[in-house]
Each structure stands twice: as C-alpha cells, then as structure tokens.
Amino acid sequence: MLYPSYDFAPPLPVQRMLPMLQISPRAYVFVIITCGAQTGISSWYAKHVFKQKGIPVAYCHKIRMPDCAGIAYKRNPNKQTWKFQKYASRMERIIADVKARKTAYHFSGWALLGWASIYTKWGQKTITVFHPKVNADRCGGCDTCARICPVENITMQERDGKKPFADTGADCTACLSCVHFCPHQAMELGGKHLDKSWQYHHPDIKLKDMILR
C-alpha cells in the first residue's frame, strides 16, 4: 500500500481505514510512504495495526516529494522539484524489491512528533494550527476548494450583499489541496497569507483531475 505522511503520521482517512482492511496473514504486505522530509510514525502505524490483526508487514520504505506543507515552515515546494530526479533511482529500487517480495524496513526519524500528533491532546491541538482557514475578504466565492476537498470539509456560506465565501469545518485531514488550488489565494495556513508563487501541485495534475463533485 502507498499513502502520504501528514504531520508525521498517516492521514486520518488512512488511520480509519487500516483497522478495517481484511488481508490474509499469508499475503505479502508492503508499505510505501511519500513525505516532504520525515515520515514520523507513518510506516510504524501500519505495522502496529497489522500486527494486532496477526498480519506481518514485510517491507517498508519512503519516497521524498516536494513538501506541500513546507509553506508553514517557510519552504517553497516549487523549489523542491529536484527531489523527483534525486529519488527516481530509489523508486526503481523499491519497485524491484516489491516485485521480488523482499523483506526490509526503512524507518524515518521524528517519530516522537508523529506519536504526539495522534496520541496526545497537545499534539492534536498543535496540528490544527496548520489546518487551512479561509480569509473571507480574499475569497472569490468560486467554490473550487469545496469541490476538491476529499472529505467535504468545506462549505459555501451566504452573506448579505456579497459573494458567498468558503468556510472550513472540523474534519480537515491537512491534504492542503484547497491551499494550493485556490485561484484567489484565500486559504491561509498558520494565519499566514500564501502568495501564488508558493502554490504547488504536481505538473501532471490539473484542477480538472482534482474535482470530486
């Protein structure tokens, strides 16, 4: 399986999905994590959940990508596209390893932050600081963010005499799609305005590919 690391841990939908998976204990199970820098407990979490179900995880590894959340730490993801070339050989090696059904564990650092983001109230509260919030004055009411949000956490609110504006709820998974695709740069992260030059998405992915409804 392949999934990203958000805030040094698996995204909430992945955390909810893993315990529900029905997998044979005899199956070859591999976990590949994409991340901007460190995966925290993202691979450990899957290994831990599956161990409780009697399912061994044979292989774990990670691939670094441009860090979409790096904008919160003053790192522009558009300046990190060098990672595609640098880690291309690792991807080829991972593919070969999985095809050969090899056993290997490549864990990442910063596990304590990942553990805190899931298991402590302090961590959960801190992580929400970096969940996108809408600057209603900049919002153009186009509903792009609401249409691409994978968990339907964004709704359009009416206001007298003005265009509707987007509003975020409490179920954000921190995928940041709304931040990077907003045409008005109305989504703020950590209370900071995001300039257009800092918005990033993979060059092969277009807005039409993101529209869910």
Side-chain angles (χ1 to χ4, degrees), residues 20-207:
M20 296 188 294
L21 289 179
Q22 299 296 318
I23 301 175
S24 169
R26 297 185 299 277
Y28 175 77
V29 180
F30 63 92
V31 178
I32 311 301
I33 309 295
T34 62
C35 62
Q38 303 294 338
T39 62
I41 64 169
S42 295
S43 55
W44 172 87
Y45 188 87
K47 191 170 183 288
H48 175 68
V49 170
F50 286 143
K51 182 178 181 180
Q52 292 180 321
K53 296 164 68 71
I55 302 170
V57 174
Y59 188 89
C60 298
H61 216 320
K62 71 174 184 179
I63 289 289
R64 287 182 174 174
M65 299 287 186
D67 188 359
C68 292
I71 54 180
Y73 311 100
K74 298 183 179 180
R75 296 202 306 266
N76 189 331
N78 290 292
K79 296 181 179 180
Q80 300 175 30
T81 54
W82 53 266
K83 292 179 180 179
F84 290 127
Q85 183 175 358
K86 179 175 181 179
Y87 294 106
S89 59
R90 179 182 295 182
M91 176 63 80
E92 293 299 322
R93 186 168 74 252
I94 289 174
I95 292 173
D97 286 349
V98 171
K99 285 183 176 179
R101 294 180 172 255
K102 290 188 175 181
T103 298
Y105 301 97
H106 302 273
F107 293 103
S108 183
W110 297 39
L112 183 60
L113 284 177
W115 182 87
S117 70
I118 292 180
Y119 297 112
T120 71
K121 292 183 178 180
W122 171 85
Q124 294 167 9
K125 183 177 180 179
T126 301
I127 291 305
T128 60
V129 172
F130 298 105
H131 286 182
K133 299 296 181 184
V134 182
N135 184 325
D137 292 332
R138 296 187 65 91
C139 181
C142 66
D143 86 346
T144 296
C145 57
R147 296 175 68 193
I148 66 176
C149 179
V151 293
E152 300 184 7
N153 186 54
I154 303 175
T155 56
M156 302 305 296
Q157 304 295 326
E158 299 291 336
R159 50 181 172 177
D160 295 337
K162 295 183 179 181
K163 293 180 180 179
F165 69 97
D167 187 34
T168 56
D171 297 323
C172 179
T173 62
C175 75
L176 305 187
S177 295
C178 60
V179 172
H180 291 283
F181 278 96
C182 176
H184 307 283
Q185 295 79 54
M187 289 291 180
E188 297 181 344
L189 202 60
K192 299 176 181 179
H193 168 65
L194 177 68
D195 186 78
K196 185 176 181 180
S197 64
W198 284 62
Q199 288 180 303
Y200 170 83
H201 58 83
H202 191 282
D204 292 341
I205 301 298
K206 309 302 181 185
L207 177 60

